[in-house]
Amino acid sequence: MYQKNPSSIIKHIDFMILDLVCFLLSLWLAYGLRLNELEIWESQIYRSLMIIIALVHICASAFDSAYKNILRRGYLKELIAVIRHIVIVMAVMLVLMFFLKTLDALSRGVIAYTAVISIIVIWLERTIWKKFIHHRLAKNPRYLLIVTDKAGAERILNQFQGQMLDFQVKGIVLVGKDYKAVDSIQGIPVVASVETLTQYLLKTVVDEILFSVPRKEDLPQDLIRECSLMGITIHLEIMSSDELAGARYEENIAGLSVMTSYLKLITAGQAFVKRAIDIVGSIIGLIITGILFLFVATAIYLSDPGPIFFSQERVGKNGRTFKLYKFRSMYQDAEERKAELMEKNQMKGQMFKMENDPRIIGSGPDGTKHGIGHFIRSTSIDEFPQFWNVLKGEMSMVGGKDIIGTTSETTDFTRVLAV
């Protein structure tokens, strides 16, 4: 699922909200320092001032593009941007208060203190928050492949230099004979040729591919469509977009004009609503999980002393792995005992399933009893800890069936799906 690039005000709404909080906090501190009082909300004139500041701040943020390229600014540029924003907000606020004939009721000292304090506080807030965002982007990057020739790779990498990118270039796929002669370009490894690209995608994590090929003939027929149908976001710089599958639109990536295609395209608003539903739903689910834990943990421990939770590696979006959590419903030696029961396996391949599985807690030697393990599995209670994965953003509360085939624990939790 690919999120279309929103406008700067929507993309950086977190900065707008944090700035507003810091602005109002600065007004409160200025009020306390100048008038030796902290109950600013008891003054009608200053309550009105807070509302005006909030409205002017939001309007100035939207129409003045206050947050455009904010993640790329250095300390000095950010300080200048903060001063500019504060001056605009304070100037408009004073004009409005003048026309409302309430300017004389305000303390000049409070206004001056507010301006100075807000510059310092908002600059510090933006600096700290940007460091947090940079750390988060570095920890969970979007991986990009570049498919082009040697000259195109040099040009694109030069374009990327010095820019704050929200993706990481994982490798280069060279077209033509350049693939055999070049191992890396500007420190970025050449990872495949166009002929081996699909095989490479099957064994590594790739989120997006940028195709920049001068001649359409340099790519195998339907390669772009095949990559797009694999669920990978496709950016096409030069070639015709006829091969793209799914939704498409034009955007700018670090100064490059591209046509972007993805099978599931969502807007910033849709992504916000989706994530909000996941957060609210997972919090409610975790509260229920906590209540269930009191009873389920006791039953599991009394039946088979040991860990209450079971975890296993899962493959999520574009090959990323994450650790999924469940209430343990099998004995601790279930994996070792599986080898003894392989002849009773009712599934093909690496999947393992049998009707009367003695490895389930409380199932008895022949697996015919239905104890605590069967109960929490049949009621899907064992799946409730997965709400923790939803809260972390590793899974989403959408329809679908999650199938596990390589471990002794299986799931039929249809309320969540790896994203």
Side-chain angles (χ1 to χ4, degrees):
M1 190 174 293
Y2 184 73
Q3 180 178 336
K4 184 176 180 180
N5 286 337
S7 61
S8 61
I9 184 63
I10 297 177
K11 183 178 181 180
H12 298 303
I13 193 170
D14 49 347
F15 281 100
M16 185 185 73
I17 295 174
L18 289 173
D19 284 357
L20 177 57
V21 172
C22 290
F23 217 141
L24 297 179
L25 176 63
S26 300
L27 175 60
W28 176 69
L29 291 174
Y31 184 87
L33 290 173
R34 185 67 180 85
L35 302 179
N36 295 320
E37 296 181 21
L38 295 177
E39 294 78 14
I40 188 173
W41 47 86
E42 294 184 359
S43 171
Q44 181 178 355
I45 186 65
Y46 282 99
R47 286 201 304 268
S48 300
L49 180 62
M50 294 171 70
I51 296 174
I52 291 176
I53 286 179
L55 294 176
V56 174
H57 164 70
I58 294 172
C59 292
S61 300
F63 294 106
D64 190 47
S65 299
Y67 304 111
K68 186 176 181 180
N69 299 325
I70 188 172
L71 295 178
R72 304 175 189 174
R73 297 176 192 157
Y75 296 115
L76 180 58
K77 286 186 177 180
E78 192 60 63
L79 179 60
I80 295 173
V82 169
I83 293 175
R84 183 176 186 275
H85 182 69
I86 299 301
V87 169
I88 292 175
V89 173
M90 298 296 288
V92 174
M93 179 269 294
L94 290 174
V95 170
L96 290 176
M97 297 298 284
F98 173 78
F99 282 107
L100 292 174
K101 298 181 180 180
T102 56
L103 186 60
D104 292 338
L106 295 175
S107 167
R108 294 184 178 88
V110 171
I111 300 301
Y113 283 10
T114 299
V116 174
I117 295 174
S118 61
I119 289 174
I120 298 172
V121 173
I122 292 178
W123 180 80
L124 288 173
E125 163 257 308
R126 290 188 183 183
T127 300
I128 295 171
W129 190 243
K130 283 196 292 185
K131 287 184 178 296
F132 169 77
I133 293 177
H134 291 164
H135 175 74
R136 185 181 62 183
L137 292 175
K139 188 176 180 181
N140 300 294
R142 290 156 42 200
Y143 290 113
L144 175 78
L145 280 185
I146 302 174
V147 181
T148 184
D149 57 13
K150 187 174 183 298
E154 294 279 2
R155 175 180 59 84
I156 293 172
L157 293 177
N158 287 333
Q159 180 73 27
F160 288 170
Q161 283 184 0
Q163 300 202 42
M164 174 60 196
L165 305 175
D166 58 354
F167 57 83
Q168 179 179 323
V169 180
K170 189 164 189 175
I172 299 170
V173 179
L174 289 180
V175 300
K177 299 180 180 180
D178 290 337
Y179 169 66
K180 298 181 180 180
V182 181
D183 294 328
S184 65
I185 299 177
Q186 296 187 18
I188 305 298
V190 176
V191 296
S193 65
V194 292
E195 290 78 14
T196 61
L197 174 57
T198 53
Q199 289 80 7
Y200 176 79
L201 295 175
L202 293 175
K203 59 184 180 180
T204 191
V205 177
V206 174
D207 299 296
E208 306 174 31
I209 301 178
L210 170 61
F211 285 91
S212 179
V213 184
R215 297 185 308 166
K216 188 175 181 179
E217 295 76 14
D218 288 334
L219 289 179
Q221 190 174 7
D222 295 332
L223 176 61
I224 297 177
R225 178 176 292 273
E226 184 177 354
C227 294
S228 180
L229 292 175
M230 291 174 69
I232 298 174
T233 300
I234 302 299
H235 304 292
L236 199 58
E237 186 186 17
I238 297 177
M239 296 174 55
S240 168
S241 61
D242 295 338
E243 296 84 355
L244 293 178
R248 67 189 71 174
Y249 67 97
E250 294 183 9
E251 67 173 333
N252 184 283
I253 298 180
L256 299 176
S257 297
V258 300
M259 179 74 74
T260 295
S261 169
Y262 200 81
L263 294 181
K264 295 180 181 179
L265 181 67
I266 61 174
T267 64
Q270 291 171 331
F272 176 80
V273 171
K274 175 182 177 296
R275 185 58 185 148
I277 292 174
D278 283 346
I279 292 175
V280 173
S282 61
I283 291 175
I284 295 174
L286 287 173
I287 293 174
I288 298 174
T289 302
I291 297 173
L292 291 173
F293 177 84
L294 299 176
F295 304 96
V296 175
T298 302
I300 293 175
Y301 190 81
L302 292 176
S303 300
D304 183 41
I308 304 301
F309 296 102
F310 171 83
S311 65
Q312 59 186 183
E313 292 291 326
R314 283 293 189 87
V315 178
K317 181 180 178 182
N318 292 339
R320 283 180 171 82
T321 60
F322 66 97
K323 187 168 289 187
L324 178 141
Y325 298 95
K326 301 170 62 179
F327 283 124
R328 183 169 61 90
S329 62
M330 287 187 170
Y331 290 107
Q332 297 182 68
D333 61 348
E335 190 66 33
E336 291 76 11
R337 295 171 61 186
K338 184 172 71 172
E340 305 172 2
L341 303 169
M342 284 302 297
E343 61 182 18
K344 298 181 181 180
N345 185 16
Q346 298 172 338
M347 305 293 291
K348 294 182 179 180
Q350 294 182 328
M351 293 279 293
F352 182 88
K353 183 178 181 181
M354 59 183 297
E355 184 175 354
N356 296 317
D357 194 338
R359 301 172 304 153
I360 299 176
I361 298 176
S363 60
D366 58 357
T368 57
K369 293 183 179 180
H370 287 181
I372 181 61
H374 278 283
F375 174 75
I376 65 175
R377 290 162 70 91
S378 62
T379 56
S380 293
I381 290 177
D382 59 329
E383 313 291 349
F384 272 85
Q386 293 176 22
F387 281 111
W388 175 246
N389 297 108
V390 177
L391 184 62
K392 293 170 64 179
E394 297 166 336
M395 302 178 78
S396 181
M397 297 185 66
V398 298
K401 191 168 185 179
D402 211 2
I403 302 176
I404 307 173
T406 58
T407 67
S408 59
E409 291 273 352
T410 59
T411 182
D412 188 27
F413 190 38
T414 59
R415 291 178 292 278
V416 293
L417 181 68
V419 295

